[in-house]
Amino acid sequence: YSPLHSTLLYHIKELRKNEKTSPIVMIKASDDASYKNLIDVLDEMQICNISKYAIVDMTEGDTFLLDNLASKGELTKNIDRSK
C-alpha cells in the first residue's frame, strides 16, 4: 500500500468511530502535480470508498504550508511574532 492509502484508511477509521456520516475529502493539487498524481489520488478515493470528494484550488496558505514543509520549517522561523 502507498503512504496515501495508509493515511486515508487510518483517518477514515477514526472518523467513522465518531460520526455516522462519510468523510468529505478536499483534493488540492499543486502546480508541480502531474496528471498521474491526480489520477492516483482519485483511484485512492475509490479504493477507500470515499464517495464525497472535491478537487479544489490551492490557497496561498496551502502553498505556504507546502513550502514550509519542503524547507523543514525554515519559513515559520522567519515569521514576525511581535505583532
Side-chain angles (χ1 to χ4, degrees):
Y1 292 109
S2 71
L4 174 63
H5 181 79
S6 300
T7 302
L8 279 171
L9 287 179
Y10 170 79
H11 289 292
I12 291 165
K13 184 178 176 184
E14 290 300 310
L15 280 171
R16 289 191 175 148
K17 279 184 190 176
N18 302 321
E19 308 227 358
K20 299 206 186 301
T21 61
S22 62
I24 300 171
V25 175
M26 292 190 310
I27 301 168
K28 298 181 178 189
S30 72
D31 291 338
D32 297 332
S34 67
Y35 181 75
K36 181 185 181 323
N37 295 142
L38 186 57
I39 296 303
D40 288 345
V41 170
L42 293 174
D43 286 344
E44 287 298 331
M45 295 298 107
Q46 291 294 322
I47 292 166
C48 294
N49 294 317
I50 303 291
S51 59
K52 296 178 184 179
Y53 58 87
I55 301 170
V56 298
D57 292 330
M58 298 248 319
T59 64
E60 204 174 297
D62 297 323
T63 302
F64 175 83
L65 290 172
L66 285 177
D67 292 344
N68 194 44
L69 178 65
S71 70
K72 299 182 179 168
E74 287 298 316
L75 296 178
T76 53
K77 293 178 185 175
N78 299 330
I79 294 175
D80 182 7
R81 300 186 198 291
S82 64
K83 295 178 184 178

